[in-house]
Amino acid sequence: MYAIGERINGMFRAVGAAIREQNPEPIQELAKAQLDAGAQALDVNVGPTAEDPVAAMAWLVKAIREVTEASLAIDTTKPDVMKKGLELAGPGSIMNSTKGQQEQLDIFIPMAMEHEATLIALTIDENGVPRDANGRGEIALRVVAAAMEKGLDPSRVMIDAVILPVNVTQSTPGQVLETIRNIKVLSDPPPKTVLGLSNVSQGTMQRELINRTYLVMALAAGLDAAIGDVLDTDLMDAMITAELLMDRAVYADDFLKAYRASVQA
Ligand code: THG
């Protein structure tokens, strides 16, 4: 599974403060720690409070690029912030994310092609987040059709079926799993699937247990990638073990160590 570290997000108080004070060290430490923990890409989000989000994204990406060339997932809904992030991060980046309405796809799909990026698309449109797997599947189909029409290979599209906190809508985790299974038959090759895992446990007790259990369930349903807390060793151990049990890695007595060595940059 492709693990994307979630921690460089202005939503976290220490990261928000580092952005405001233009103090690169906490950001660079988080970048290195997440890569050491097995992240294959780093989510980069300036957070809700940045005054000048374009400038904040530019500063963040430059700070990260001083310590690593790892893939970055530029996390913003704003086209100008996305463009700046992609220009500074370079090819092989992930665009996180676009919504499924046509006007958004018309902007972000060509941008993905221009910057040789992978595009995350949320199953959200002008009517919000659909209630069930059917509604999510309809938006996913619209995204894949738009990508093919514009010449972006579906394998460079990742569909995010939008997981919500389990204490808000308890039916959502199951509907999202069904969506993940359905997306595999949308096109050939199919799009990839991704989730913002930590959303599932926001506002709950036992956050790590909920995240870890749901990751294993989603992985078994075919989830390809997750944005999550890669610094949570138990979460990563569960992910690695689930991959083994899905026959995606060869058993060895030291399979945890072997997996970690295989993803280390
Ligand atoms: N899909 C996609 N991208 C996403 C999300 C998604 N990006 C943002 C988010 N959702 C994924 N990242 C996080 C990061 C942190 C938390 C949840 C998701 C989180 N933060 C603590 C909280 O809210 O309780 C903050 C704690 C603190 O302030 O220290 O849980 O779904 N494509």
Side-chain angles (χ1 to χ4, degrees), residues 28-239:
Q28 292 168 341
E29 289 308 314
L30 276 174
K32 287 186 283 190
Q34 291 184 101
L35 293 167
D36 286 346
Q40 285 153 287
L42 303 173
D43 198 56
V44 184
N45 185 318
V46 299
T49 57
E51 244 168 67
D52 180 347
V54 174
M57 182 61 81
W59 179 82
L60 259 184
V61 172
K62 282 186 206 158
I64 297 164
R65 278 285 173 262
E66 283 176 22
V67 294
T68 178
E69 288 300 315
S71 290
L72 302 183
I74 308 297
D75 188 352
T76 177
T77 55
K78 300 186 176 80
D80 54 344
V81 178
M82 184 68 79
K83 189 164 180 296
K84 178 59 78 179
L86 293 173
E87 281 168 5
L88 292 166
S93 298
I94 299 168
M95 294 170 61
N96 184 19
S97 49
T98 178
K99 292 181 183 166
Q101 55 261 50
Q102 197 63 48
E103 315 83 75
Q104 291 251 313
L105 297 171
D106 287 344
I107 297 169
F108 284 111
I109 291 174
M111 201 185 285
M113 294 170 69
E114 184 188 339
H115 291 275
E116 297 174 52
T118 295
L119 181 66
I120 296 180
L122 305 170
T123 59
I124 298 181
D125 65 10
E126 57 275 20
N127 300 314
V129 182
R131 191 181 301 274
D132 60 14
N134 281 341
R136 285 172 162 80
E138 277 173 30
I139 298 174
L141 182 58
R142 193 191 307 154
V143 169
V144 169
M148 288 170 89
E149 187 190 302
K150 292 180 161 65
L152 179 66
D153 195 275
S155 65
R156 289 208 4 233
V157 174
M158 301 181 116
I159 302 290
D160 184 329
V162 188
I163 186 65
L164 301 172
V166 66
N167 62 352
V168 176
T169 53
Q170 222 176 316
S171 62
T172 298
Q175 294 299 320
V176 166
L177 296 183
E178 192 179 331
T179 308
I180 290 166
R181 287 188 288 262
N182 293 343
I183 281 168
K184 299 286 156 185
V185 298
L186 275 188
S187 60
D188 184 18
K192 303 275 197 281
T193 52
V194 63
L195 290 177
L197 182 68
S198 300
N199 295 8
V200 72
S201 64
Q202 264 172 328
T204 68
M205 305 290 282
Q206 303 282 7
R207 286 202 70 172
E208 291 178 341
L209 178 61
I210 293 173
N211 291 343
R212 179 161 86 236
T213 304
Y214 194 60
L215 181 65
V216 170
M217 294 168 72
L219 198 149
L223 186 70
D224 297 296
I227 303 161
D229 183 7
V230 299
L231 301 180
D232 176 350
T233 308
D234 290 338
L235 178 72
M236 296 302 276
D237 284 355
M239 181 198 82

